[in-house]
């Protein structure tokens, strides 16, 4: 049974940093599956924040976080990370990690088989 558990969220001031973690268990093979992070804010559609694709070894970032957020993964620990610097109030939301792409549109994974429950990030000005 695949399970994703996020941690590391919290309440911070604008300009501060946070690193989110996502422990993945249940047999997902890193580097062979698309994985990444989404953000859900009240009243907004879900946003793809950072998605890693093993084909081409590329990571796609949302335009609003480029240069501030960095995706990484530790294969030995089966853990995904999202390092966030210079946080802004607009970054506030529930951050959920995802694994194993289910549906692709125009080269982007739009649906994953597995999602975590999320960790809340709140940034105040």
């Amino acid at each position: 049974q695949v399970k994703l558990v996020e941690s590391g969220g919290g309440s911070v001031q604008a300009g501060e940093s946070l690193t989110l973690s996502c422990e993945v268990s249940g047999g997902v093979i890193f580097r062979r599956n698309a994985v990444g992070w989404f953000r859900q804010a009240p009243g907004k559609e879900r946003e793809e924040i950072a998605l890693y694709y093993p084909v081409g070894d590329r990571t796609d970032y949302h335009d609003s976080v480029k240069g501030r957020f960095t995706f990484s993964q530790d294969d030995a620990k089966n853990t995904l990370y999202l390092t966030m610097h210079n946080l802004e109030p607009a970054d506030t939301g529930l951050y959920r990690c995802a694994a194993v792409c289910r549906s692709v549109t125009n080269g982007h994974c739009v649906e994953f088989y597995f999602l975590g429950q999320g960790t809340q990030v709140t940034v105040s000005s």
Side-chain angles (χ1 to χ4, degrees):
Q1 180 180 357
V2 176
K3 187 175 182 181
L4 287 71
V5 180
E6 302 94 337
S7 61
S11 296
V12 297
Q13 297 287 319
E16 294 183 341
S17 300
L18 280 174
T19 295
L20 307 182
S21 300
C22 171
E23 294 186 32
V24 183
S25 60
V28 174
I29 302 174
F30 281 20
R31 308 289 177 179
R32 293 187 186 179
N33 288 284
V35 292
W37 291 89
F38 289 87
R39 178 171 69 201
Q40 181 73 57
K44 292 185 177 181
E45 293 188 0
R46 189 181 71 177
E47 295 176 308
E48 300 168 3
I49 297 302
L51 296 185
Y52 169 81
Y53 297 91
V55 177
D57 192 29
R58 83 174 198 268
T59 302
D60 292 344
Y61 292 95
H62 192 276
D63 284 345
S64 69
V65 308
K66 287 179 180 177
R68 300 188 297 120
F69 289 14
T70 302
F71 170 86
S72 61
Q73 52 188 330
D74 186 325
D75 298 352
K77 295 182 179 180
N78 278 2
T79 300
L80 311 177
Y81 301 97
L82 185 67
T83 302
M84 308 183 293
H85 294 301
N86 195 21
L87 283 160
E88 304 169 351
D91 295 321
T92 295
L94 182 69
Y95 284 73
R96 304 177 70 183
C97 58
V100 188
C101 187
R102 182 172 186 172
S103 177
V104 175
T105 299
N106 295 328
H108 295 281
C109 184
V110 295
E111 187 177 358
F112 283 83
Y113 278 104
F114 308 107
L115 284 169
Q117 292 298 306
T119 184
Q120 179 68 33
V121 173
T122 303
V123 185
S124 56
S125 58

